[in-house]
Amino acid sequence: MEGRPFENLGRSGWPYTKIEVLNFIDRDRFQCMRDAFHLLHRDTLDLDCWSGFEDTVLDDLKWRTTHLGLADDWETLPDYWTASISDIPWQISEGLTMTDYGPLDGLRPSLWQSDKQALHKHGFFGSAQLVRDVFRCFHRDDGLADPKRLNVWAGFLLTLSPMRGVNYLDRNFARHLKEPGEAIFDNDVASSIALVRKQFLDSGTQLWHRPNVEWLLVHLMTEVGVTPHVDRQGCNAPTVEGAYQEVIQEFKRRRDQHFDRRDQNEPAELIKDMLVCREEIKRMKMLSRSREQVFENLCVDVQKFEREDLEQPDIRPVHKGRRSAVEKAQIALGRSKGQTVAFKILFEDISMSLKSLLFIPFATLFGYFGMNLTDIRQSQRDQRSFWRTYGSMFITTMFTCALITLAKLSRLEKRSLSRVQVKREALFAGQADNKLERDLV
């Protein structure tokens, strides 16, 4: 018997669960990961990445490869790059909510360089890149009863996600970022997945309200779906929402200094920084709202499961003092709603600050030219004269701004291409040196 379907959380015909999660990884490591894929993915690697897998797994991979149109026959396994692209997380600016995408909607960024995020202006997050991953769960309950414990049912839960980043924030955050990706799964103070794994290895199902695969799935979804947060180590680090608030306050300080000093170079940089921050907060608000909807649907499904379990006399909670799946889903829903409200307030704050920076100078200018220095009845100019003068000034200004913007974009593209070319030449030079050493030997 398969695990009970999550009809509200899943899709029609696909009753499995997934949620988008946020992680922090080291900025330099993230950039190297993207550069390596960008430079090498067009080359065929002579690497057998499927050795050691059982025939059952290989047959399943062959079926999926053909089903998705990645191969023409049923005997072809996916190549190295097709399998490894799922390990590269998305940036905040890439795509909409990842839960709306399918298996073929892979990583297709317009620029391979990592984004300069507004969070980098906060000292605590200066060396970290906030990225997005999808956490998927495929569950089964095969109805195998433990002969020693009659009310315990065996099952299994398959989870798929490349989330090898830090999502528990504490005072050792910078040290956690430098740990290898594989080591994060063993660090239960830095990773929510590592914490759930450690709890299961230490106590088995003793901490579970019900010993079934649905409770474990809800436990995982509610743990990873509300991260990153600072609760794991007693709130000894700044929250993501608090960091964005401090960044916005710094933008306001720079804006006020600009109005006081009339610095001509500050507005362009400040407007660019504020637009980047506004776009990030907009994405975070959208992501928080998406997770809120996930937990709303999860609450409906687990309440249905709870009613079904109570109707069966042979199924009872083995640990009544533990939180049920319904309680865990409701707690996660409350936290997601709080995050959505926080990012909504931050978005309104940065939007109003940006509007004031953009329109106050225009209001002053238009107010000055709108003053009547002479009696309107004695004016010698008509509306055509006004539009000839100020209309031409407006068109000239907009044309100049467009030329400056195009010039900056062209310079940025050339700089990006030269950077990629330098890395490619360095990579090929290293390969040539290794070949020369082998020939000498």
Side-chain angles (χ1 to χ4, degrees), residues 201-394:
L201 292 177
D202 292 344
S203 58
T205 61
Q206 294 180 6
L207 299 178
W208 299 15
H209 178 70
R210 291 186 186 277
N212 56 32
V213 70
E214 287 85 10
W215 190 93
L216 176 59
L217 185 150
V218 174
H219 179 51
L220 274 169
M221 294 279 288
T222 54
E223 283 292 328
V224 304
V226 296
T227 57
H229 60 70
V230 298
D231 299 345
R232 176 75 174 115
Q233 292 294 312
C235 303
N236 59 356
T239 63
V240 175
E241 298 90 331
Y244 274 117
Q245 182 63 53
E246 292 185 24
V247 171
I248 294 175
Q249 293 298 328
E250 177 62 19
F251 289 154
K252 292 180 179 179
R253 184 191 64 80
R254 290 169 57 187
R255 179 199 61 188
D256 296 339
Q257 286 184 349
H258 160 63
F259 289 145
D260 294 339
R261 300 178 183 177
R262 298 295 188 267
D263 187 356
Q264 300 298 325
N265 297 323
E266 178 67 11
E269 291 295 327
L270 180 57
I271 291 174
K272 183 177 69 173
D273 293 340
M274 293 179 73
L275 286 174
V276 170
C277 183
R278 182 179 181 274
E279 185 64 22
E280 282 183 32
I281 295 176
K282 177 182 177 181
R283 299 277 181 171
M284 295 291 289
K285 181 182 70 169
M286 179 175 60
L287 187 146
S288 299
R289 178 54 186 157
S290 173
R291 296 201 292 192
E292 182 182 336
Q293 292 175 344
V294 167
F295 288 126
E296 287 176 351
N297 295 329
L298 181 63
C299 285
V300 176
D301 285 326
V302 295
Q303 287 172 356
K304 175 186 174 183
F305 295 158
E306 189 70 16
R307 291 193 298 268
E308 292 176 354
D309 292 339
L310 292 176
E311 291 174 357
Q312 300 182 22
D314 57 333
I315 299 179
R316 289 290 183 268
V318 292
H319 299 292
K320 295 184 179 180
R322 307 301 181 186
R323 285 176 178 162
S324 66
V326 176
E327 293 173 332
K328 294 183 73 65
Q330 290 175 345
I331 292 173
L333 175 59
R335 297 195 64 166
S336 296
K337 287 183 176 180
Q339 292 174 350
T340 303
V341 172
F343 283 113
K344 181 179 180 181
I345 294 174
L346 290 173
F347 181 75
E348 294 174 353
D349 192 3
I350 188 65
S351 298
M352 289 302 299
S353 300
L354 187 59
K355 290 177 182 178
S356 65
L357 180 62
L358 290 174
F359 294 113
I360 284 179
F362 287 104
T364 305
L365 179 65
F366 295 155
Y368 173 77
F369 285 107
M371 291 188 295
N372 296 322
L373 301 179
T374 61
D375 192 351
I376 297 178
R377 293 171 296 179
Q378 300 175 0
S379 176
Q380 301 299 320
R381 300 181 182 273
D382 56 7
Q383 291 187 8
R384 292 182 179 179
S385 176
F386 172 83
W387 287 112
R388 279 196 301 267
T389 303
Y390 297 108
S392 59
M393 290 175 57
F394 175 78

Side-chain angles (χ1 to χ4, degrees), residues 182-207:
E182 294 76 11
I184 291 294
F185 283 128
D186 296 324
N187 189 345
D188 60 288
V189 299
S191 170
S192 56
I193 295 295
L195 176 62
V196 175
R197 175 174 174 269
K198 182 177 183 298
Q199 290 174 344
F200 181 72
L201 292 177
D202 292 344
S203 58
T205 61
Q206 294 180 6
L207 299 178

Side-chain angles (χ1 to χ4, degrees), residues 33 45 92 104 118 142 175 272 298 314 387 389 398 436:
M33 183 188 304
L45 290 184
I92 298 297
L104 293 178
D142 292 311
R175 188 179 68 189
K272 183 177 69 173
L298 181 63
D314 57 333
W387 287 112
T389 303
M398 295 303 295
L436 180 60

